[in-house]
Amino acid sequence: MRIQVGIVGAGPAGLMLAHLLHQHGIESVVVDTRTRDEIEGTIRAGVLEQTSVDLMTATGIGDRVKQQGQVHHGIELRFGGQGHRIDFADLTGGRGVTIYPQHEVLKDLIAKRLADGGDIRFGVSDVRVEGVGGDSPTIRFTEGGTEQVLHPVLVAGCDGSRSTTRFLVPAPKPRQDHFRQYPFAWFGILAEAPPSSDELIYAHHENGFALVSTRSPTVQRLYLQVDPNDTPTDWPDDRIWQELHTRVSGEGARILEGPIFQKSVLHFRSFVCEPMQYGRLFLAGDAAHTVPPTGAKGMNLAIADVYVLSRAMAEYFAGGETGALDAYTATVLPRVWRAQHFSWWMTSMLHRMPEASGFDLNRQRAELDFVTRSRAGRTLLAENYVGTPLD
């Protein structure tokens, strides 16, 4: 089967790329080893930047996010027993973020692609990408017990943080892997409870970081910084609630409890693959870079990557111009590194590091105090959190 673009991975990057390419009149085939139910049923957080929502709306997949997404115009930083609001609307000219889970974005993208006649191959196996360094790449996979072969002109590696396509970029030169593993994890819960706050709360405490997030009016998502070796069995419900009350304590704070129906431990890291392309292969999303979730950048970076990549591919198929494709890595990397810096900064400012001393805790509080008191500090945080324009 000869196609214009073969896309490996039906996550946010792969599905959004297929959708944007269709807007340019370019058809693609998406392959993924997961079933549709697995993709749509994996519950993950979702904070969409203003530009991501605008792009979804402009390309015809914004109805549900407009109806069901929760628009937030600020967050609260808590430390020393007090809350300090970062007013996005005031600091960024009225912009904000939308709370809308990643699996709901995927449902919207899948429904739209299938309605548009798109080709998505769910639940395949033995996916192999070959020949990307030459003129005739192939994507081989098994579907229904039969080997299938795609002959794409271009290949997009969008297969997530456990990517196999990433390793088709030659190493160690010219590829550079930039990697940082963090010495703690997040313990996340889903609870049937009303919201504890109208906006997200990022709490710094000597016991460790806590995040009060939300999913819906009846389901809340909350996180605690824990040891990376902890398991859900180490955290009975009573201990979870006690620690949340302790870390999000003080003036104006409240944690509303409810039945906990999901527990998980999230390990995270920072990673950048450079370059993000080789021959006819182009990486996007978590296949090319991952960030700690503190900055809420992962899905937005994936969307920004494929926005640039779809335009470059459209230019190539329209007239054979390769300039934008050749410049893909150089075009997207500045945004990737800005997001890495912001995510690292938020993480290092709010989390208790192992073996932290009183000096370290007081230094963090001094930094938080400066950020929240200074309009320049609040603006720096707000502008990075709501995101910069795609162009």
Side-chain angles (χ1 to χ4, degrees), residues 295-333:
K297 292 297 166 203
M299 182 162 53
N300 296 292
L301 272 183
I303 292 172
D305 284 350
V306 298
Y307 173 78
V308 173
L309 185 57
S310 64
R311 290 158 61 108
M313 288 181 171
E315 184 177 295
Y316 172 75
F317 284 113
E321 296 293 331
T322 62
L325 279 177
D326 294 340
Y328 169 63
T329 296
T331 302
V332 299
L333 269 183

Side-chain angles (χ1 to χ4, degrees), residues 9 51 56 64 151 175 179 284-285 294 358:
T51 50
M56 292 172 66
R64 286 209 315 138
H151 297 275
R175 192 181 88 180
F179 176 83
T294 325

Side-chain angles (χ1 to χ4, degrees), residues 9-334:
L15 291 171
M16 180 62 81
L17 176 60
H19 172 64
L20 294 177
L21 289 174
H22 179 71
Q23 303 283 308
H24 290 288
I26 299 166
E27 292 309 315
S28 62
V29 176
V30 182
V31 299
D32 200 297
T33 57
R34 298 168 296 170
T35 67
R36 180 177 179 178
D37 287 343
E38 289 172 332
I39 293 170
E40 296 183 342
T42 302
I43 299 176
R44 291 186 177 176
V47 177
L48 291 170
E49 296 176 357
Q50 184 74 60
T51 50
S52 297
V53 174
D54 292 344
L55 180 63
M56 292 172 66
T57 302
T59 59
I61 53 170
D63 289 348
R64 286 209 315 138
V65 70
K66 289 289 189 180
Q67 295 167 3
Q68 301 178 20
Q70 304 173 53
V71 179
H72 286 192
H73 288 291
I75 59 172
E76 180 180 300
L77 300 184
R78 291 196 67 82
F79 59 97
Q82 292 187 325
H84 306 264
R85 185 171 186 264
I86 307 297
D87 189 337
F88 295 159
D90 174 58
L91 298 165
T92 66
R95 289 187 293 158
V97 296
T98 299
I99 310 301
Y100 191 66
Q102 177 176 302
H103 59 280
E104 299 297 340
V105 174
L106 295 177
K107 289 178 184 178
D108 295 340
L109 284 165
I110 290 171
K112 180 62 174 170
R113 285 303 300 132
L114 296 180
D116 288 340
D119 192 342
I120 308 175
R121 309 292 181 93
F122 298 108
V124 304
S125 60
D126 303 321
V127 179
R128 304 182 307 283
V129 180
E130 301 167 345
V132 294
D135 294 330
S136 303
T138 60
I139 301 175
R140 299 176 184 273
F141 58 93
T142 301
E143 183 179 36
T146 303
E147 184 181 66
Q148 306 289 335
V149 183
L150 303 179
H151 297 275
V153 178
L154 302 174
V155 177
C158 304
D159 48 342
S161 59
R162 297 181 180 180
S163 170
T164 58
T165 58
R166 175 195 307 149
F167 297 100
L168 298 176
V169 178
K173 291 182 179 181
R175 192 181 88 180
Q176 301 178 54
D177 288 349
H178 306 276
F179 176 83
R180 175 186 292 265
Q181 184 74 45
Y182 290 84
F184 40 75
W186 279 9
F187 186 86
I189 66 167
L190 283 171
E192 295 178 1
S196 295
S197 171
D198 292 334
E199 297 175 334
L200 275 64
I201 299 175
Y202 289 74
H204 172 275
H205 190 271
E206 62 183 14
N207 288 9
F209 170 73
L211 173 61
V212 178
S213 184
T214 187
R215 282 293 173 273
S216 72
T218 59
V219 175
Q220 310 312 316
R221 184 70 157 163
L222 302 102
Y223 296 95
L224 290 167
Q225 176 188 346
V226 298
D227 186 280
N229 295 315
D230 282 3
T231 66
T233 57
D234 296 319
W235 287 86
D237 292 7
D238 288 346
R239 184 187 180 192
I240 294 169
W241 293 119
Q242 180 181 350
E243 198 62 25
L244 281 167
H245 284 295
T246 298
R247 298 188 192 185
V248 193
S249 61
E251 179 184 345
R254 61 173 188 168
I255 296 293
L256 301 180
E257 299 183 17
I260 297 173
F261 63 90
Q262 186 185 95
K263 301 178 182 180
S264 60
V265 177
L266 174 65
H267 299 89
F268 50 94
R269 61 181 184 166
S270 294
F271 171 82
V272 179
C273 176
E274 184 180 346
M276 292 168 52
Q277 64 192 96
Y278 170 66
R280 294 179 178 266
L281 170 68
F282 302 85
L283 304 177
D286 283 358
H289 43 70
T290 57
V291 292
T294 325
K297 292 297 166 203
M299 182 162 53
N300 296 292
L301 272 183
I303 292 172
D305 284 350
V306 298
Y307 173 78
V308 173
L309 185 57
S310 64
R311 290 158 61 108
M313 288 181 171
E315 184 177 295
Y316 172 75
F317 284 113
E321 296 293 331
T322 62
L325 279 177
D326 294 340
Y328 169 63
T329 296
T331 302
V332 299
L333 269 183

